[in-house]
Amino acid sequence: MNIKYIIEEKLSEVILNVFQLKDIKLEVQENKTEFEGDFTIVTFPLVKQLKKNPESIGVELGEALTEQTDLFESFNVVKGFLNVKVKNQLFMDNFRSVSSGFSSIEKKNATVMVEYSSPNTNKPLHLGHIRNNLLGFSVAQILKEAGYDVIKTQIINDRGIHICKSMLAWEKFGNGETPEATHTKGDKFVGNYYVEFDKNYKKEIAELTEQGIGEEQAKKEAPMMKEAQKMLVDWENGDETVRNLWAEMNSWVYKGFNETYKRLGVNFDQVQYESNTYILGKDLIQEGLDKGVLYKKEDGSVWCDLTDEGLDQKLLLRSDGTSVYMTQDLGTAVERFKQNDIQKLIYTVGNEQDYHFQVLFKILKKLGYEWADQLYHLSYGMVELPEGKMKSREGTVVDADDLMQEMYETAKSKAQELGKLENLSEEDKEASYETVGLGALKYFMLKVDPKKKMLFNPAESIDFNGNTGPFIQYTYARIQSLLSKADDVQKDTADVILNQSEKELTMQLANFKTVVAKAAETLSPALVANYVYDLVKAYNSFYQNNPILNQDDENVKQFRLNVSDLTAKTIKKSLELLGIGTVNRM
């Protein structure tokens, strides 16, 4: 257990014994002042209840803590702040406890499903998908470490008007070409035709507006759009030609997606397809009509009135009988709870869909699904590059594959400049460039609170100094080098008197499980990212101020090797929770 929590527990007991006050929790902080002591206890909350000044409360509390517990060897009071010096033995015992229990996980007996990625099959993955995938995968890793069973899933948006646009453009302009024939990755190949559709669609709109038709009407009347809409209806009616083209083009895309996922280091336990789940949603529509939760308009379209809940009226089925995204999401949610014993379902989706998920959860609740209360939208801010926003229809997106390759190239250039991998084989060098380059990308993405919009700067992310992935990976490599030079690292050592940097480092190591629990509770990998950065800073301070291999006292040497070993394990585990690898040399 963390020393801070041990102190807080004892503190509550002493307050009850001395002042007869129940359920009082005073703030305990690590002492950052020049006054002697490891922790500072803030006594001011007791002033009003005890009607005493903070100094006298501090003295009385300090005396009681030293007399009634065996945790402290001394205390001092400065302006109402009680500074306590913890006995060295507590630090040693705590370090041993943390070290021996490092790999243990307390199971929660609950299963959480985490959805992320969920791409459209009309374009390749881009920068926004990278943040989505890294966030969803990391949250799943953190939940596992916190003791939950986790199912990682995605639903592939493999049908709809956007898919038909790519299909139609390929039919019109593709001349039968394939990804293999053109040496193009499948998802990029299909994405090119989505851009091609938009280009020709805009031309048709321009031609119609020149004839005096209003722009909004021109968008509806453009032949390309009408053909795409007809193709969607044909698809839903099971037209064999349309279905065969759809299956072939999607197979090209899936192959491309899988290559990207593999390089990004993310994976899934389950995959669902909207082409299957949209039918489930249609079944729910009839159920909702029968229950009076939904209503039908004269044109045959089906709606849900959510005005009483402070929302609006939501379309669920178009007048031509085709479904909308909301219909599909309703069916998917129901199917997931039918097929899996899950206690929570987390949707990792950007904050532009906040309203969509409010509506989804409300409709499911109105339909009588009690588990609707266990649905959660992990809403995150958009990611931009210094150049600005991206638009997929205009072909100006930052391609995920291109960005990963750029990160690899930058890491390679940096490593060659530093010249520290000269003795490695070419294969090991390549693996190192990849791990460091993608580690830089992942860490930079995940160190920011998910709710915040972020600016991703590739050059800044790969700096070997500061709050970056390579800086943390370098410290891990440094420790591996140190341990490889040690003759023997004993699992346990005799007690030693710890100095300030050693105390600070052991306290940081003891914080790991608390941070993981908090990150699981808040679904924020940023807590883990910033924790491991603080740990690395504490270790570097310790490393610079304490001789290790040339330490004369064998017990002190063994303790420092042990604390280095546990630091390396904690760095590695923290980075794993972020989906980041480590290297032994940099």
Side-chain angles (χ1 to χ4, degrees):
M1 186 186 280
N2 190 308
I3 290 178
K4 183 179 167 185
Y5 291 107
I6 295 171
I7 294 171
E8 286 175 343
E9 283 188 359
K10 290 292 182 183
L11 187 57
S12 295
E13 288 176 22
V14 170
I15 290 171
L16 179 60
N17 293 340
V18 176
F19 303 122
Q20 286 74 54
L21 293 174
K22 278 186 179 179
D23 303 321
I24 295 292
K25 279 198 174 290
L26 295 185
E27 189 179 355
V28 178
Q29 305 168 341
E30 288 181 32
N31 185 16
K32 303 292 185 186
T33 70
E34 71 277 14
F35 301 106
E36 187 178 358
D38 301 305
F39 292 91
T40 298
I41 298 168
V42 183
T43 63
F44 294 100
L46 295 175
V47 170
K48 190 173 180 182
Q49 288 167 293
L50 297 175
K51 296 184 172 52
K52 296 180 181 179
N53 66 54
E55 283 80 3
S56 63
I57 293 172
V59 171
E60 201 173 342
L61 194 53
E63 288 173 347
L65 284 169
T66 51
E67 288 169 10
Q68 296 183 27
T69 74
D70 58 357
L71 302 180
F72 309 105
E73 60 180 54
S74 64
F75 73 90
N76 63 80
V77 179
V78 181
K79 296 181 179 176
F81 292 96
L82 170 59
N83 302 308
V84 291
K85 188 172 184 183
V86 174
K87 286 183 178 177
N88 188 77
Q89 190 63 46
L90 185 60
F91 284 104
M92 288 301 304
D93 291 346
N94 190 243
F95 173 72
R96 289 191 181 103
S97 172
V98 170
S99 189
S100 65
F102 179 73
S103 299
S104 64
I105 294 176
E106 192 176 326
K107 297 295 286 181
K108 294 282 195 301
N109 296 319
T111 301
V112 180
M113 178 176 276
V114 183
E115 178 197 287
Y116 53 94
S117 194
S118 303
N120 294 328
T121 55
N122 64 318
K123 55 192 174 186
L125 304 177
H126 56 62
L127 179 60
H129 289 115
I130 285 184
R131 188 177 197 191
N132 180 295
N133 275 271
L134 295 181
L135 181 57
F137 182 77
S138 180
V139 163
Q141 295 288 91
I142 289 166
L143 287 167
K144 276 185 196 172
E145 186 65 22
Y148 294 92
D149 290 319
V150 176
I151 300 170
K152 303 188 295 284
T153 191
Q154 66 165 326
I155 178 161
I156 297 182
N157 304 307
D158 65 338
R159 64 165 295 282
I161 191 68
H162 52 290
I163 311 297
C164 292
K165 288 176 182 178
S166 294
M167 290 162 59
L168 182 65
W170 183 85
E171 264 193 344
K172 285 181 174 295
F173 315 115
N175 299 315
E177 66 180 17
T178 65
E180 289 80 11
T182 57
H183 305 291
T184 310
K185 193 161 167 276
D187 50 341
K188 290 181 174 55
F189 180 86
V190 172
N192 290 339
Y193 283 100
Y194 183 62
V195 174
E196 190 66 29
F197 174 92
D198 196 60
K199 193 167 70 177
N200 285 275
Y201 175 47
K202 281 179 176 171
K203 276 185 196 170
E204 291 182 349
I205 293 169
E207 287 167 5
L208 289 171
T209 52
E210 280 174 16
Q211 294 169 22
I213 298 172
E215 188 176 346
E216 286 308 308
Q217 190 61 27
K219 286 178 181 177
K220 293 175 186 173
E221 296 297 327
M224 290 280 287
M225 182 56 76
K226 284 191 167 182
E227 285 184 79
Q229 287 168 339
K230 181 183 182 301
M231 187 177 267
L232 178 60
V233 173
D234 289 344
W235 184 93
E236 292 204 5
N237 290 333
D239 182 282
E240 190 177 350
T241 305
V242 172
R243 284 276 178 150
N244 288 342
L245 175 60
W246 166 80
E248 184 173 28
M249 290 185 74
N250 275 347
S251 73
W252 297 337
V253 176
Y254 299 148
K255 189 177 176 186
F257 282 170
N258 289 335
E259 289 175 34
T260 305
Y261 290 142
K262 186 176 179 182
R263 188 169 192 184
L264 193 57
V266 303
N267 53 49
F268 306 90
D269 304 307
Q270 292 183 7
V271 178
Q272 289 174 296
Y273 300 91
E274 270 195 13
S275 53
N276 296 326
T277 59
Y278 89 101
I279 300 167
L280 302 170
K282 282 189 168 183
D283 293 342
L284 283 180
I285 298 298
Q286 191 55 52
E287 182 187 318
L289 288 169
D290 294 343
K291 287 182 177 178
V293 172
L294 310 179
Y295 70 95
K296 192 177 280 192
K297 287 191 176 179
E298 286 180 10
D299 64 359
S301 60
V302 178
W303 297 71
C304 184
D305 187 355
L306 296 169
T307 50
D308 287 348
E309 280 87 356
L311 304 174
D312 60 5
Q313 297 188 41
K314 186 66 186 176
L315 172 69
L316 296 178
L317 208 62
R318 298 187 187 97
S319 56
D320 63 4
T322 57
S323 56
V324 296
Y325 273 124
M326 185 61 70
T327 325
Q328 297 156 32
D329 281 351
L330 289 167
T332 305
V334 171
E335 186 70 3
R336 282 170 171 169
F337 276 86
K338 259 187 203 170
Q339 299 293 331
N340 302 280
D341 180 18
I342 52 176
Q343 282 65 57
K344 188 169 189 175
L345 170 54
I346 297 165
Y347 295 88
T348 311
V349 182
N351 59 12
E352 78 279 9
Q353 294 293 329
D354 284 354
Y355 187 76
H356 174 87
F357 283 100
Q358 284 180 45
V359 172
L360 175 66
F361 300 166
K362 292 275 188 192
I363 294 175
L364 286 165
K365 188 75 173 171
K366 283 173 85 77
L367 287 170
Y369 294 102
E370 291 304 315
W371 45 254
D373 292 332
Q374 305 310 315
L375 303 175
Y376 183 82
H377 175 207
L378 176 51
S379 172
Y380 62 89
M382 291 295 97
V383 55
E384 295 176 11
L385 286 168
E387 300 88 78
K389 291 185 179 178
M390 307 176 294
K391 293 180 183 175
S392 57
R393 281 189 300 274
E394 295 172 14
T396 59
V397 296
V398 179
D399 184 88
D401 297 316
D402 293 345
L403 183 56
M404 285 191 284
Q405 185 62 22
E406 181 187 335
M407 297 305 297
Y408 158 84
E409 297 287 356
T410 308
K412 182 176 182 177
S413 173
K414 284 264 187 185
Q416 289 176 342
E417 187 184 310
L418 295 169
K420 294 193 176 182
L421 302 179
E422 295 308 314
N423 297 328
L424 293 184
S425 67
E426 283 305 311
E427 188 181 347
D428 287 343
K429 283 180 185 176
E430 290 296 318
S432 179
Y433 305 149
E434 184 79 358
T435 301
V436 173
L438 291 188
L441 168 66
K442 293 174 182 183
Y443 186 82
F444 202 93
M445 288 277 181
L446 293 172
K447 72 178 182 178
V448 178
D449 185 301
K451 295 179 183 67
K452 292 180 180 174
K453 184 171 80 171
M454 70 168 293
L455 186 73
F456 175 66
N457 187 323
E460 192 182 321
S461 75
I462 210 154
D463 194 335
F464 278 59
N465 295 301
N467 191 3
T468 66
F471 174 67
I472 293 162
Q473 288 170 318
Y474 179 73
T475 301
Y476 176 83
R478 168 188 270 179
I479 298 173
Q480 294 309 302
S481 175
L482 168 76
L483 295 173
S484 70
K485 292 171 187 170
D487 297 330
D488 180 35
V489 182
Q490 297 172 14
K491 288 297 178 189
D492 197 9
T493 58
D495 290 345
V496 296
I497 303 301
L498 305 186
N499 61 34
Q500 193 56 35
S501 66
E502 289 169 327
K503 286 179 179 178
E504 286 176 6
L505 182 53
T506 60
M507 284 193 285
Q508 276 285 1
L509 290 166
N511 284 340
F512 173 68
K513 292 204 172 183
T514 305
V515 170
V516 169
K518 187 70 176 171
E521 181 190 330
T522 58
L523 304 178
S524 177
L527 297 181
V528 175
N530 289 291
Y531 161 78
V532 72
Y533 175 57
D534 288 339
L535 174 63
V536 161
K537 285 193 295 181
Y539 181 81
N540 287 335
S541 174
F542 154 82
Y543 182 84
Q544 287 159 14
N545 294 301
N546 297 282
I548 301 177
L549 295 178
N550 58 354
Q551 166 59 239
D552 294 331
D553 186 320
E554 186 61 26
N555 286 334
V556 172
K557 175 183 172 181
Q558 285 300 328
F559 171 76
R560 290 177 182 171
L561 286 170
N562 265 310
V563 84
S564 297
D565 184 48
L566 183 58
T567 301
K569 286 176 181 170
T570 308
I571 293 171
K572 187 180 179 73
K573 175 57 73 175
S574 298
L575 290 179
E576 281 174 3
L577 298 183
L578 303 173
I580 298 172
T582 50
V583 290
N584 291 340
R585 280 190 58 187
M586 279 178 71

